[in-house]
Amino acid sequence: MNKHRIPFCFGGAFLLLVLSFLLNMCLGSAGISLGDLWTAIIEGPGSGVAGRIFWYARLPRTAAAMLAGAALAVSGAVIQGVLTNKLASPGIIGVNAGAGLAVTVCCALGAFSGWVIAGAAFGGAMAAVLLVTLTAAKVGASRTTVILGGVAVNSCLNAASEAISVLVPDAGMQAADFRVGGFSSVAYTRLVPAGVVILIVLFVLFTLCNELDVLSLGEDTAQGLGLSVKRMRTLFLCLAALLAGAAVSFSGLLGFVGLIVPHAARRLVTDESGKLLPFCALCGAGFVSLCDLLARTLFSPYQIPVGIFMAFIGGPFFLFLLINKRGGRQA
Amino acid sequence: MMRISGVVAGYGEREVLHGVDMEFRPGEITVLIGPNGCGKSTLLKTIVGIVECSAGEITIVDHISGERLAEDRKTVLSVKALSDIERAKRVAYLPQSKKIPDISAFRMVLHGRFPYLNYPRKYRAEDMKIAGEALRWAGLEDKADEMVSRLSGGMQQNVYLAMALAQNADTILMDEPTTYLDVANQLRLMEMAGRLARQGKAVVMVLHDLSLALRMADRVVLMEDGRVRKTGTSEEVYDSGDLRRVFGVEIERVKTKSGWHYFWDGMVGEEDTER
């Protein structure tokens, strides 16, 4: 293993994030030069058109993309570690299905305001995850019961969403925006509370890296090392759900990041959580914000849903990693 | 010293251990043998709290961290009453099924110090030192930075053993540690287990290879159907004839330079199993 690879990866991810931030600020339907950007940052929102665009449009949108990316990627990494299943993602424990159903119900009841949708998404996600984890905890919280419970809860909730969409077509249309996901309607009022939750949970998770590593050695080994497996597994799932639920509350259902970013990150910086989680946060933030940049500028004035870009860029990149690593392993 | 008395345990409704008594003594390798499903692995899992113990007692005489207390000041602790962390300081456990994560060998061994983590949940310099020593003990100091997933099966097993050593527990439980290892690695592992015993640890293993078990054990516990059938040295267990009856195979032994060697020699004849 090349000793300089990991610092190099971190440096690269950080540069990517900074670059993404600058591009996101400067590019768009109205171009802002770096000089104008600097003036806007220093003088606040009152400093003319550039200032207003920066503070009220591009900054919240980019911050939202970065927060959601970081939260979903770390959440996915934690869930994969806890369930020792590299195909797991926040979706598997019910986050997306729960949020989707709650939002569809709200739309059917005629409550479309941003706050209500955000609250419903977060509440729905948490309720679904609680249902999955509590059911699993009841029968011993084994990895398989969590996954199977998740699959069962997911299919029930998705069926309910679809039933509502058929019965109340307007609700289906309203909820479709949420289901596709994106950052075009983000506002500080919804971003700030979710952002605070995300930052706090990220901090807590960064202090629990050794627990997560021990847990991913398998439940028997972890128990032998003195980790209370059932309790910690449930705790980690809840923390991961908080992250993903908070992200989904303002971004809608972005399913792809939580699976692919952690998986790619593992290949670059190993499974060691102390490195993996921060790296996932950097990469997730950079990846989603870059995709959002493309989504809003490439076919301007039309905006393409960001999820589509994530799949177009992430999918091939992931295939590249698979092929590349295979060769490296055998060398 | 760990003492197990009248332990009853199982999975939900299904009781696997129906009252088991045995002792694991410091400085000895105790080998648990018995047919599949007799409860060997379940016993180890019960000790570390993976399987619930519904009756009986598991006690250890405590002298933690190598500071041996005077004989009259030794405390007897109930393992069941200990928290997971406190138990892990006294009992190390290597399960049969192991995950091989993509982390460095050193990091893996360092997790042996997990029970000693305090606020702020970071390993200290002392933990690093102990982990380094454990790696050297296992002959893996040059592999410290290698990913465990890239080591050979034998080395991976040694990394796990080094992790158990770093855990600094007086009792080390190993569930079929020789599975998937080639002959040389099996012998290397048994040699390392012997060194652990000579350091004063109580080493306990479940083994399926009867000849290896009988040759290496200081004490053999023969189990059948969730009960202990026979306990003693290899010779005593062999002489009792219980091996033949429990396993249903003929066991022979020959004397060599290095002591008795045991080998199985075909199924017991049909008229014999009738009895």
Side-chain angles (χ1 to χ4, degrees):
Chain A
M1 170 87 23
N2 186 343
K3 277 212 157 160
H4 301 295
R5 200 180 84 182
I6 287 170
F8 180 79
C9 286
F10 269 94
F14 186 72
L15 275 182
L16 193 75
L17 190 65
V18 172
L19 184 72
S20 163
F21 179 80
L22 290 177
L23 288 176
N24 259 301
M25 291 308 117
C26 295
L27 299 182
S29 45
I32 299 179
S33 72
L34 280 177
D36 289 345
L37 179 64
W38 183 245
T39 323
I41 294 173
I42 297 295
E43 295 183 6
S47 60
V49 182
R52 282 200 297 282
I53 294 179
F54 170 76
W55 285 101
Y56 295 127
R58 294 193 184 159
L59 184 63
R61 180 166 181 159
T62 306
M66 288 181 171
L67 277 172
L72 290 170
V74 172
S75 172
V78 169
I79 291 171
Q80 288 172 4
V82 168
L83 300 180
T84 48
N85 184 329
K86 295 191 175 167
L87 285 176
S89 71
I92 199 101
I93 56 168
V95 171
N96 289 1
L101 176 60
V103 168
T104 313
V105 168
C106 278
C107 292
L109 296 175
F112 304 131
S113 85
W115 259 108
V116 176
I117 298 278
F122 184 71
M126 295 313 291
V129 171
L130 276 183
L131 186 62
V132 173
T133 46
L134 290 182
T135 318
K138 197 103 190 144
V139 287
S142 86
R143 286 168 288 130
T144 325
T145 41
V146 173
I147 293 174
L148 291 180
V151 169
V153 168
N154 271 326
S155 55
C156 289
L157 297 182
N158 283 333
S161 298
E162 288 184 10
I164 294 175
S165 303
V166 170
L167 295 173
V168 191
D170 278 357
M173 298 288 283
Q174 291 285 349
D177 259 0
F178 178 81
R179 293 189 160 274
V180 173
F183 304 100
S184 49
S185 58
V186 161
Y188 283 120
T189 46
R190 277 185 289 150
L191 184 58
V192 171
V196 170
V197 170
I198 289 174
L199 292 177
I200 291 174
V201 175
L202 282 180
F203 177 77
V204 171
L205 279 171
F206 289 163
T207 65
L208 292 177
C209 285
N210 286 320
E211 278 78 0
L212 187 58
D213 275 351
V214 167
L215 197 53
S216 47
L217 294 179
E219 44 200 301
D220 289 355
T221 305
Q223 181 80 23
L225 287 169
L227 186 91
S228 307
V229 170
K230 287 176 198 170
R231 207 180 315 149
M232 287 310 285
R233 178 176 288 151
T234 309
L235 174 70
F236 274 120
L237 287 177
C238 290
L239 288 173
L242 273 175
L243 275 184
V248 163
S249 78
F250 60 81
S251 74
L253 304 185
L254 298 174
F256 188 67
V257 206
L259 175 65
I260 227 111
V261 171
H263 211 141
R266 280 176 202 282
R267 287 169 177 273
L268 291 170
V269 299
T270 77
D271 288 346
E272 195 186 315
S273 306
K275 293 170 185 147
L276 179 66
L277 297 190
F279 190 66
C280 276
L282 282 177
C283 290
F287 177 62
V288 175
S289 58
L290 274 179
C291 287
D292 188 48
L293 174 74
L294 292 177
R296 70 186 170 84
T297 55
L298 212 55
F299 298 102
S300 174
Y302 301 106
Q303 297 206 357
I304 311 294
V306 64
I308 293 178
F309 270 95
M310 292 189 339
F312 265 129
I313 298 171
F317 174 67
F318 191 64
L319 285 178
F320 166 76
L321 275 181
L322 278 178
I323 295 163
N324 204 26
K325 187 74 175 197
R326 169 69 61 83
R329 281 240 158 138
Q330 280 161 3
Chain B
M1 156 103 89
M2 177 179 286
R3 185 169 289 130
I4 290 160
S5 43
V7 163
V8 177
Y11 305 87
E13 299 286 286
R14 190 165 64 92
E15 190 180 295
V16 178
L17 301 174
H18 319 287
V20 169
D21 304 277
M22 64 183 81
E23 267 180 15
F24 305 140
R25 299 179 189 167
E28 282 189 356
I29 299 181
T30 307
V31 177
L32 307 186
I33 56 175
N36 289 120
C38 70
K40 310 177 296 283
S41 299
T42 306
L43 178 65
L44 300 194
K45 288 182 181 181
T46 308
I47 296 170
V48 294
I50 297 169
V51 173
E52 202 177 330
C53 176
S54 47
E57 256 312 325
I58 303 170
T59 53
I60 38 177
V61 178
D62 200 28
H63 28 62
I64 198 166
S65 313
E67 292 166 26
R68 311 245 172 260
L69 300 173
E71 196 69 27
D72 58 337
R73 284 181 52 230
K74 281 177 181 170
T75 40
V76 176
L77 293 174
S78 161
V79 174
K80 277 196 281 181
L82 291 173
S83 69
D84 285 321
I85 285 288
E86 288 303 315
R87 185 205 61 240
K89 291 176 183 171
R90 296 163 173 91
V91 185
Y93 169 61
L94 298 185
Q96 188 184 358
S97 69
K98 301 181 182 70
K99 294 277 172 190
I100 305 297
D102 208 8
I103 62 176
S104 72
F106 179 76
R107 195 78 204 166
M108 180 101 184
V109 174
L110 194 53
H111 285 314
R113 302 301 296 165
F114 184 79
Y116 304 91
L117 267 182
N118 274 320
Y119 187 81
R121 313 302 291 162
K122 292 263 180 291
Y123 293 115
R124 296 158 300 162
E126 185 198 341
D127 298 319
M128 309 266 178
K129 187 166 147 270
I130 292 172
E133 282 164 6
L135 261 182
R136 202 167 320 122
W137 176 89
L140 289 168
E141 62 270 40
D142 56 330
K143 302 287 181 203
D145 293 329
E146 292 269 338
M147 295 290 119
V148 181
S149 51
R150 296 192 183 196
L151 299 178
S152 71
M155 287 181 190
Q156 289 176 349
Q157 185 62 276
N158 291 350
V159 170
Y160 264 95
L161 208 59
M163 185 170 84
L165 180 69
Q167 204 172 330
N168 199 19
D170 284 336
T171 306
I172 300 182
L173 312 175
M174 304 184 214
D175 198 348
E176 297 192 35
T178 57
T179 317
Y180 305 127
L181 297 188
D182 61 44
V183 180
N185 274 317
Q186 290 187 22
L187 288 176
R188 212 163 286 144
L189 182 108
M190 296 308 290
E191 183 268 325
M192 287 165 83
R195 274 196 279 154
L196 285 173
R198 283 194 293 282
Q199 288 170 32
K201 296 188 186 296
V203 179
V204 182
M205 336 185 160
V206 169
L207 288 179
H208 268 299
D209 182 339
L210 275 184
S211 49
L212 191 68
L214 293 168
R215 211 177 120 198
M216 297 299 184
D218 295 311
R219 176 170 302 272
V220 174
V221 178
L222 173 64
M223 292 181 68
E224 185 185 21
D225 293 334
R227 292 194 172 77
V228 174
R229 207 43 84 197
K230 180 77 190 168
T231 305
T233 62
S234 299
E235 285 89 56
E236 286 164 2
V237 172
Y238 175 82
D239 289 338
S240 71
D242 283 334
L243 280 175
R244 179 175 183 273
R245 200 180 44 72
V246 169
F247 283 99
V249 295
E250 300 287 357
I251 313 262
E252 301 290 338
R253 66 175 179 185
V254 287
K255 186 110 185 176
T256 69
K257 281 183 295 197
S258 58
W260 286 109
H261 279 232
Y262 299 81
F263 56 95
W264 51 267
D265 191 25
M267 305 288 280
V268 172
E270 261 175 341
E271 67 278 14
D272 287 335
T273 39
E274 291 289 324
R275 285 190 279 132

